[in-house]
Amino acid sequence: MTKILITAAGSHGDIAPYTGVGARLRAAGHDVALATHDRYAPLVRAAGLEFRPLPADPRTHRPADDAAVRTQPAAPGDRRTLMRQAAAFIKELGGGLADAAREDTGLLLLSATTAPLGHHLAEAHGIPYLDLPLVPGAPTGDFAPVLSGGRSLGRWGNRAAGRLSLRIIDRLYTDASRDLRARLGLPPATPRTVRRRSEAAGRPVLHGFSEVLVPRPTDWRPGLDIVGNWWPWHAPDAQLPPEVEDFLAAGPPPVFVGFGSMASGEGERLSTIAAAALRQAKLRGILQSGWSGLSTRHTSSDADLLTIGEVPHALLFPRMAAVVHHCGAGTAAAGVRAGVPTIPVPVTADQPFWAARLTSLGVATAPIPFKELSGDDAVARLSHALTQATTTPAHRTHATTAAHRLTTEDGPGTVLKAVERLTG
């Protein structure tokens, strides 16, 4: 039996979708391991997958060999420090991936973060691989790179920016790739060289999001496919915690508010703003603590607010009147799948891209950039968006239509077919 190793690194949203993929492969009879950070071991094992550890958890990561990176927190917009931190994270990750890819590995399934390193492992060990990114990465004229903020630069400009984005990513992986290739006994080769080899070979890339949100670009080469979302695994008999069910039963559907792995340390400010905006809009709310630490303990006692930890979005979101979140790829898709309107509050990275997609689809209000959720008008602005989302019939209608379209897709099934072609 072929041993399949899935590798994924980053935050919860970068990891959880691969538990759904792994569980589908396991149900089809494959032997599957998922290599990721220690904090996600329970998530991986609950899905019935073997857990293999990776270093450099981004929530606790402290680069061991660069004093400048260790002592300089990245200020907003400080791209140089952010790049150095990212490169240090990737460099530490490389050795962990080599350890995770044991002799029994017969197939590598690689996330966007791990793919540039995983390609070296595949080359060294002669292992077939499949790239499974959660965001579109190949240059296209149809839209600007996902990390550029979402504003189109025209077809030529979008493609040029897309190529520049790839070169920046290549730079981030330079040190890690050099060290990993030396460890594996491979001849020197730059990340750009390895990437271009893969592109020239026309290797398949399966993207784990829906064409409901991002239609396949018209100028992508054959083999770059959008297959539909991979949803985080949860037990078939899973239920919401009793305190959540009690809260839902006590009044009209509430609004979900959560920022996932974003806004660390800003829980008190954000909780205060969210509670006041919900009160002004005459709505109940559920605050998901996340990395920011949202909590009702930061607000005055209010029976119309509840704090929760991690719960499956698939169970919670359909019970909501609307959802307020940072628009990570998985959370954005989960809101669409639930058929409820979204109030996007994008923070960074690909989040403005997904926020813009939700708005253009008609399932969301205009985005409120996170940096603008401050000042004297923050409560009024969020309250206005909450009222729009919950009282404008078109948002609910578009959300319901999009949700129906998502039910026709089987992203994990497409991955399974590709895996079986590769493994014979």
Side-chain angles (χ1 to χ4, degrees):
M1 179 183 295
T2 300
K3 182 73 172 189
I4 299 172
L5 176 63
I6 304 173
T7 63
S11 66
H12 184 275
D14 300 310
I15 314 302
Y18 296 99
T19 63
V21 173
R24 181 65 172 271
L25 296 174
R26 179 176 175 272
H30 294 282
D31 189 3
V32 185
L34 201 165
T36 188
H37 313 298
D38 285 338
R39 74 170 56 248
Y40 304 112
L43 190 69
V44 172
R45 291 175 176 138
L49 311 177
E50 178 192 343
F51 170 75
R52 294 185 182 178
L54 290 183
D57 183 335
R59 187 170 187 181
T60 59
H61 183 238
R62 297 292 184 272
D65 58 356
D66 189 334
V69 176
R70 285 202 310 273
T71 58
Q72 292 180 351
D78 185 355
R79 293 188 178 183
R80 178 174 294 181
T81 300
L82 286 171
M83 291 281 283
R84 294 178 70 187
Q85 289 176 338
F89 168 80
I90 291 165
K91 187 174 181 180
E92 191 171 338
L93 189 63
L97 283 169
D99 293 335
R102 301 169 190 166
E103 292 182 359
D104 63 348
T105 302
L107 174 65
L108 286 169
L109 302 183
L110 306 168
S111 73
T113 306
T114 61
L117 300 170
H119 295 167
H120 305 306
L121 297 175
E123 179 184 345
H125 300 304
I127 306 171
Y129 68 88
L130 188 62
D131 287 359
L132 303 180
L134 298 173
V135 297
T140 175
D142 288 7
F143 49 79
V146 296
L147 298 182
S148 69
R151 184 172 63 88
S152 178
L153 305 172
R155 294 199 64 83
W156 183 89
N158 289 341
R159 287 195 61 81
R163 291 190 292 268
L164 175 61
S165 179
L166 291 180
R167 288 198 292 271
I168 292 172
I169 293 171
D170 290 339
R171 286 179 56 196
L172 286 176
Y173 283 85
T174 296
D175 290 346
S177 295
R178 182 189 61 243
D179 293 351
L180 183 56
R181 290 185 72 85
R183 171 176 171 172
L184 296 171
L186 293 172
T190 66
R192 185 182 186 187
T193 298
V194 175
R195 172 173 57 80
R196 287 189 162 185
R197 285 177 189 165
S198 180
E199 291 171 354
R203 296 195 62 89
V205 178
L206 305 185
H207 295 81
F209 52 86
S210 173
E211 288 202 70
V212 172
L213 283 176
V214 184
R216 185 182 184 281
T218 55
D219 53 358
W220 269 8
R221 65 165 175 83
L224 300 179
D225 295 320
I226 297 173
V227 302
N229 286 89
W230 308 315
W231 306 107
W233 180 89
H234 65 81
D237 59 351
Q239 297 181 351
L240 293 172
E243 61 271 22
V244 177
E245 287 288 0
D246 291 345
F247 181 78
L248 293 172
V255 172
F256 169 90
V257 182
F259 295 96
S261 60
M262 297 290 105
S264 181
E266 298 201 45
E268 182 172 0
R269 181 180 73 85
L270 294 172
S271 300
T272 301
I273 291 171
L278 288 163
R279 195 176 303 115
Q280 196 172 100
K282 298 180 173 57
L283 294 165
R284 303 197 311 147
I286 290 180
L287 308 183
Q288 186 172 54
S289 54
W291 289 16
S292 65
L294 291 179
S295 175
T296 54
R297 72 174 183 273
H298 299 310
T299 68
S300 58
S301 178
D302 193 335
D304 285 337
L305 289 178
L306 177 70
T307 302
I308 63 170
E310 286 293 337
V311 299
H313 289 160
L315 300 181
L316 182 66
F317 279 13
R319 310 279 293 276
M320 300 295 101
V323 290
V324 180
H325 57 72
H326 60 300
C327 277
T331 312
V336 175
R337 183 193 195 191
V340 297
T342 296
I343 297 94
V345 186
V347 183
T348 187
D350 60 328
Q351 296 157 23
F353 174 85
W354 295 112
R357 289 283 158 171
L358 294 180
T359 300
S360 66
L361 193 60
V363 304
T365 62
I368 304 174
F370 182 80
K371 63 183 179 181
E372 297 179 17
L373 195 64
S374 60
D376 296 337
D377 68 339
V379 171
R381 188 170 183 181
L382 181 57
S383 175
H384 176 69
L386 288 165
T387 300
Q388 278 191 315
T390 55
T391 62
T392 304
H395 288 315
R396 174 73 64 167
T397 299
H398 288 308
T400 300
T401 300
H404 285 320
R405 290 176 62 192
L406 282 184
T407 63
T408 67
E409 300 175 343
D410 182 13
T414 304
V415 175
L416 173 61
K417 292 176 183 177
V419 164
E420 293 183 338
R421 285 195 297 270
L422 286 171
T423 59

